[in-house]
Amino acid sequence: MTSGVFEMMFGENVRGFEQLPQTIPHFIMESCRRNASKDLLNHKVNKHWIRFSGSKTAEKIKNLTLGLKALGVQKGDRVAIISENRPEWSLADLAILSLGAVTVPIFTTQAVEQIRYILEDSDSKILFVSGKRIFTHAEPAVSVVEKLEKVIFFDEDSKPDSNGKYLDFKELEQLGKKHSDDYDKIISQISSTDIATIIYTSGTTGEPKGVMLTHKNFTSNILAISNELPILKNDRSIAVLPLSHIFERCVFFVLCSNGVSIHYCSAFDQLSALLVEVRPTIMTAVPRLFEQVYHKIVKKGISAGGWKTKLFLWALEVGQKYWDAKEKKISVPATLSAKHAIADRLVFSKWRDGIGGKLRFFVSGGAPLSKKLSYAFWAAGIPILQGYGMTEGCIVSANRPYDHKTGSIGKPFKGIEMKIDDSTGEILVRGDNIMLGYYNKPEETAKVIDEEGWYHTGDIGYKDEDGHYYITDRLKDLFKLSNGKYIAPLQIESLLKQSPLISQVVVVGAGRKQVGALVVPDWLTLRQTLEEEGFDLKNLTNEELCDNPHVIKRVQKDAYELTKELSEYERVRRVYLLPREFSIDKGEITPTLKVKRSVIDEKYAEAIDEICGAA
């Protein structure tokens, strides 16, 4: 199954990768040409939409490219970007790439010391910053980086006064307009093997490593995904994951190359309104987003009261049974189909309306999504295709709408090989998507890419008889109890997140007698649940609730129920409640929301001893 777009662009050569343009700007500019009058990039600012047609997008990219060239940016130079999602992020990225220069994305949530490290390690020459808020956070790092020549602000009113080091986006465009260099000649100088970006890993252990990705790493993804997922020219999407993340960046290149209309979401709290207004047809997200949406739906359904609550719970149960039968490819009983049709009309249709009512499918990545949540969304007519990728290898695999298995990461895209290491169970990947290596770290590169070109992902998994791959955990996250039993925390955490009472959870117990869980409750839902169950809160603070035996037992009840089907030694019987969410600033999670388990183990050692039993 193919989208047909690249056949139209390149005729029968679509599968002969070597015969096609091999740089990102070539693909994007061709899409701009084909979609000259269509609004490709869209961003809502102060209740008004700012829209860039294909021709306007191409014009801006050309002017920005020439502006950067006038500032002295040359092929191979590094240019950093730190900004929330907005069109300027993508336009700056594409201008940098057009010169053969290298984009260095930085998360807006990264600590000052990490920002300094990335700027210095990459030898970044220029930095793009969105506005005052982000610059105020980053300025202590920016001010000490000697090689940084210019800082360019997306917002005109954010540029500090009287300093030749600073200019704004509009000034850069105007500078480009003064030059008559041939843009097509400029991009003809870059090749598929040139480095396109250096993305610094979030660093769950040790200092961040700069992942060097070439144009071909991305364009091979553009071609493979475009030909294997049904992406349509009239699709609409919302870019909600940070563009500094490899997943959203790859997706942007794929969707923009296919002429999909992209709408930028600069903050998660804007998403609900944008979903209803934009009515996306295709979109990417991470499991945490689905978990939050599901819990809100459940909370609203249960709080309705009376027959409405009974109807809601009945619909959930019917949906689980219905999709379980569909997943197993067994004949769905007529009575169950009839019940599902009623549940769909009375309950699930409202779910679809809440996300715009036009969505054909979500693509989920970054972490496993529990089977229960997946079944609920699929039964509601909201398909979620789980995929798999990493900074070092872009997008590797995904389920397809026509070939889907809940819980799996699907099959690799064409041109990408995957296999399971016989001795360790580790997933290995090889293909044009795999990075060139870690910047200035050849020894680290040699640790993960073997002599045969296989990238060792660090993920443990298996392959089923139909060729679908599954991830069971991270190799480095596995831990052993004092009785010698190994625990895979990721899968247990996935189960616990099904509870509407739990916002964040880390499964612990390394070297201890039993498994436990550090839990940050969803305080609003927990308080409401406790009050409905007759518990008098008496204006207790979250900190006080964390120490209350009744509250602890209530969360423990959910934890045990959700893990009771596991082996005896894997079940979570005791939890330790925390009053606040794990923080990037405190070094507990990475900018991509991955838990730094070593930090958590050290920081909460006493609490872990309390619930898991000291060794």
Side-chain angles (χ1 to χ4, degrees):
M1 182 176 293
T2 68
S3 66
V5 171
F6 289 94
E7 285 91 337
M8 289 188 291
M9 285 172 60
F10 304 112
E12 295 180 357
N13 289 331
V14 67
R15 291 178 179 82
F17 288 5
E18 293 301 330
Q19 282 72 50
L20 298 175
Q22 289 293 295
T23 73
I24 298 163
H26 280 105
F27 278 94
I28 302 301
M29 296 302 277
E30 171 61 22
S31 179
C32 289
R33 182 190 66 78
R34 288 183 289 108
N35 299 282
S37 60
K38 178 180 179 179
D39 291 331
L40 287 183
L41 310 183
N42 309 270
H43 189 212
K44 196 170 189 180
V45 180
N46 297 325
K47 299 182 179 181
H48 298 287
W49 283 100
I50 298 173
R51 303 185 189 275
F52 298 103
S53 65
S55 59
K56 189 68 175 178
T57 299
E59 179 187 356
K60 283 186 170 291
I61 293 170
K62 289 178 181 178
N63 289 333
L64 292 167
T65 299
L66 299 182
L68 287 174
K69 187 172 185 289
L71 291 179
V73 177
Q74 300 176 16
K75 186 174 183 177
D77 284 342
R78 269 75 69 193
V79 180
I81 304 175
I82 180 167
S83 168
E84 67 281 0
N85 284 7
R86 52 194 292 175
E88 292 89 345
W89 203 111
S90 301
L91 294 169
D93 182 28
L94 291 164
I96 295 164
L97 299 178
S98 295
L99 285 168
V102 180
T103 302
V104 181
I106 301 176
F107 285 93
T108 60
T109 51
Q110 282 184 300
V112 171
E113 180 57 27
Q114 286 185 319
I115 296 173
R116 181 202 61 77
Y117 175 85
I118 292 170
L119 290 172
E120 289 187 341
D121 187 68
S122 65
D123 290 321
S124 288
K125 187 174 185 176
I126 287 178
L127 171 67
F128 284 96
V129 181
S130 57
K132 288 180 181 177
R133 182 180 64 84
I134 300 299
F135 185 67
T136 299
H137 168 65
E139 201 275 334
V142 174
S143 63
V144 298
V145 180
E146 295 180 0
K147 291 187 178 180
L148 200 62
E149 298 176 6
K150 296 284 183 182
V151 179
I152 303 171
F153 291 82
F154 292 156
D155 293 333
E156 292 180 46
D157 60 353
S158 296
K159 184 184 69 173
D161 296 328
S162 305
N163 192 325
K165 186 175 182 177
Y166 304 125
L167 67 158
D168 62 49
F169 211 59
K170 188 174 181 180
E171 288 174 321
L172 181 64
E173 281 191 83
Q174 293 301 321
L175 181 61
K177 287 181 180 179
K178 295 177 182 178
H179 292 76
S180 58
D181 304 57
D182 186 343
Y183 173 83
D184 290 335
K185 184 176 180 180
I186 291 173
I187 65 171
S188 71
Q189 303 302 308
I190 52 178
S191 70
S192 63
T193 55
D194 288 337
I195 298 173
T197 191
I198 300 176
I199 304 177
Y200 283 78
T201 61
S202 23
T204 54
T205 57
E207 65 182 21
K209 297 187 287 288
V211 176
M212 297 183 290
L213 296 171
T214 67
H215 283 263
K216 192 170 186 177
N217 292 147
F218 286 108
T219 57
S220 64
N221 250 196
I222 292 173
L223 287 162
I225 295 169
S226 297
N227 283 318
E228 295 188 55
L229 286 181
I231 302 170
L232 307 176
K233 185 178 179 180
N234 60 354
D235 274 327
R236 298 182 301 279
S237 185
I238 298 177
V240 63
L241 303 180
L243 282 161
S244 45
H245 193 291
I246 185 65
F247 187 27
E248 192 66 64
R249 184 109 165 275
C250 284
V251 167
F252 171 82
F253 291 146
V254 171
L255 298 185
C256 193
S257 295
N258 280 277
V260 174
S261 185
I262 297 168
H263 300 73
Y264 293 80
C265 181
S266 56
F268 275 104
D269 59 9
Q270 300 172 1
L271 183 58
S272 294
L274 282 178
L275 284 168
V276 176
E277 184 174 1
V278 173
R279 306 179 79 188
T281 58
I282 180 174
M283 191 174 157
T284 54
V286 291
R288 183 154 172 77
L289 174 64
F290 297 118
E291 290 158 3
Q292 291 173 337
V293 169
Y294 178 76
H295 291 162
K296 285 181 181 178
I297 290 171
V298 170
K299 177 184 173 183
K300 184 177 180 180
I302 292 176
S303 64
W307 67 269
K308 290 183 178 180
T309 295
K310 291 180 180 178
L311 173 64
F312 176 79
L313 294 174
W314 171 81
L316 282 184
E317 183 180 358
V318 167
Q320 291 289 316
K321 291 179 179 177
Y322 177 81
W323 200 256
D324 183 57
K326 296 280 286 185
E327 184 78 11
K328 292 175 180 175
K329 293 181 170 59
I330 61 176
S331 178
V332 180
T335 53
L336 182 57
S337 290
K339 289 178 180 178
H340 179 259
I342 295 171
D344 186 77
R345 186 168 65 253
L346 298 179
V347 177
F348 295 142
S349 61
K350 295 179 175 61
W351 294 27
R352 295 193 294 275
D353 290 343
I355 58 171
K358 293 293 184 179
L359 194 83
R360 294 192 296 114
F361 60 87
F362 274 110
V363 178
S364 175
L369 184 67
S370 75
K371 182 171 284 191
K372 181 179 179 180
L373 264 65
S374 292
Y375 277 12
F377 281 103
W378 274 88
I382 305 172
I384 300 176
L385 307 175
Q386 187 158 323
Y388 175 62
M390 69 288 297
T391 307
E392 292 86 347
C394 302
I395 299 174
V396 173
S397 68
N399 283 279
R400 280 56 154 184
Y402 52 90
D403 185 14
H404 172 267
K405 284 192 176 183
T406 299
S408 83
I409 56 172
K411 297 177 181 178
F413 287 103
K414 187 172 181 178
I416 299 174
E417 298 176 84
M418 291 177 72
K419 70 176 183 178
I420 305 295
D421 187 291
D422 293 334
S423 59
T424 63
E426 184 179 12
I427 296 175
L428 309 184
V429 180
R430 183 168 66 181
D432 288 339
N433 58 309
I434 297 300
M435 68 171 179
L436 195 62
Y438 294 120
Y439 184 63
N440 287 336
K441 287 181 167 59
E443 299 85 2
E444 293 295 322
T445 302
K447 290 179 183 178
V448 296
I449 300 179
D450 64 29
E451 293 179 353
E452 295 181 348
W454 289 100
Y455 171 68
H456 293 242
T457 66
D459 292 312
I460 299 172
Y462 65 92
K463 177 183 177 182
D464 71 12
E465 66 281 358
D466 294 324
H468 284 75
Y469 282 81
Y470 296 77
I471 294 177
T472 53
D473 221 291
R474 288 287 291 169
L475 191 60
K476 66 183 179 182
D477 289 345
L478 294 178
F479 64 80
K480 191 187 293 186
L481 297 176
S482 59
N483 62 9
K485 297 288 188 181
Y486 276 100
I487 300 297
L490 204 61
Q491 296 301 309
I492 301 174
E493 288 164 1
S494 179
L495 291 173
L496 294 175
K497 288 175 183 176
Q498 294 178 23
S499 169
L501 305 183
I502 295 175
S503 175
Q504 290 181 315
V505 59
V506 178
V507 168
V508 293
R512 272 76 165 192
K513 295 177 180 177
Q514 66 181 25
V515 172
L518 303 179
V519 172
V520 180
D522 181 316
W523 286 109
L524 191 63
T525 303
L526 179 57
R527 284 177 175 275
Q528 181 179 336
T529 301
L530 290 169
E531 288 173 352
E532 289 172 353
E533 293 176 357
F535 182 68
D536 186 6
L537 297 180
K538 296 180 180 177
N539 297 318
L540 295 175
T541 65
N542 291 349
E543 286 78 4
E544 291 169 329
L545 289 177
C546 284
D547 295 326
N548 187 289
H550 181 87
V551 177
I552 295 170
K553 286 180 181 178
R554 180 62 187 84
V555 179
Q556 281 179 173
K557 177 184 175 184
D558 272 20
Y560 182 73
E561 283 297 314
L562 290 167
T563 59
K564 67 180 181 180
E565 300 301 323
L566 298 177
S567 300
E568 180 76 19
Y569 63 88
E570 294 176 301
R571 297 172 192 167
V572 176
R573 291 176 172 80
R574 297 195 65 189
V575 302
Y576 189 93
L577 304 186
L578 300 172
R580 60 162 184 83
E581 293 204 337
F582 296 114
S583 165
I584 296 172
D585 293 338
K586 295 182 183 299
E588 297 163 334
I589 56 176
T590 72
T592 55
L593 306 183
K594 292 184 176 67
V595 174
K596 293 186 176 181
R597 295 185 187 274
S598 59
V599 173
I600 298 295
D601 285 346
E602 181 179 351
K603 189 169 187 176
Y604 297 99
E606 290 185 12
I608 295 171
D609 283 343
E610 179 184 325
I611 62 174
C612 300

